[in-house]
Amino acid sequence: LVQRLTHRHDPHPALYDAYQQALAGLNDELRMERVLRLFEKRLLQELGYGLVLDHDVESGAALTETALYHYQLERGPVLIEANAGHGLLLHGSSLMSLAGDDLGDERSLRESKRLMRAVLALYLGDKPLKSRDLFRGMTATPGAAVS
């Protein structure tokens, strides 16, 4: 992911600090999903593709935990009542959890994973990553986790 989205010899010290933290965090299988989502978020921020996670991009209003939003790629969240538009359906609480580097509940983890996959696919273009296939081959043992 890092190789595909960064340019050779382009320094990103904050990105590599985040990468080092992610590698250390991957030792904890129970928190692996959270570590990966937060690294993906930091990668996007460092590359200038940071996600809007704190306000509705059409109204400017702060997100509400109980509201549902369509996340429009390259724009941000739009309250469903305000626009029947297209995008990923996400709860305000999940967006707020990702914004605060929390991701402490299953729904926030699940929705953040969908969001990150869609955003990363946009920037990766028509050549998807093969890492899932690689990890599946490496984790062929029973009970092994694949994210």
Side-chain angles (χ1 to χ4, degrees):
L1 185 61
V2 172
Q3 287 179 334
R4 288 278 305 280
L5 292 177
T6 59
H7 297 287
R8 191 175 186 137
H9 304 297
D10 193 5
H12 289 282
L15 173 59
Y16 290 100
D17 288 344
Y19 182 67
Q20 185 175 7
Q21 289 173 357
L23 288 176
L26 291 175
N27 290 327
D28 182 355
E29 283 189 44
L30 297 176
R31 297 171 48 90
M32 190 178 298
E33 290 277 337
R34 180 182 180 275
V35 168
L36 291 171
R37 299 302 80 82
L38 295 178
F39 174 72
E40 292 163 348
K41 177 185 138 183
R42 289 185 183 104
L43 172 65
L44 291 168
Q45 286 172 331
E46 180 65 21
L47 297 177
Y49 303 124
L51 303 174
V52 175
L53 299 169
D54 61 347
H55 67 277
D56 180 311
V57 295
E58 288 192 356
S59 71
L63 298 184
T64 304
E65 281 190 22
T66 56
L68 286 172
Y69 297 87
H70 280 291
Y71 199 97
Q72 299 174 356
L73 300 181
E74 295 190 303
R75 287 194 67 217
V78 176
L79 187 64
I80 288 180
E81 291 84 6
N83 181 351
H86 304 299
L88 295 165
L89 181 65
L90 303 168
H91 290 85
S93 59
S94 295
L95 293 167
M96 295 166 75
S97 181
L98 181 57
D101 291 349
D102 181 26
L103 299 178
D105 64 277
E106 285 300 315
R107 182 172 68 191
S108 294
L109 275 172
R110 185 177 57 251
E111 291 185 2
S112 295
K113 184 175 187 173
R114 281 193 359 248
L115 175 60
M116 290 302 174
R117 281 189 174 177
V119 172
L120 290 169
L122 176 70
Y123 296 116
L124 289 168
D126 59 356
K127 273 184 76 178
L129 294 174
K130 300 293 184 188
S131 56
R132 283 188 205 98
D133 296 336
L134 174 68
F135 288 126
R136 281 191 189 100
M138 291 174 47
T139 59
T141 58
V146 176
S147 63

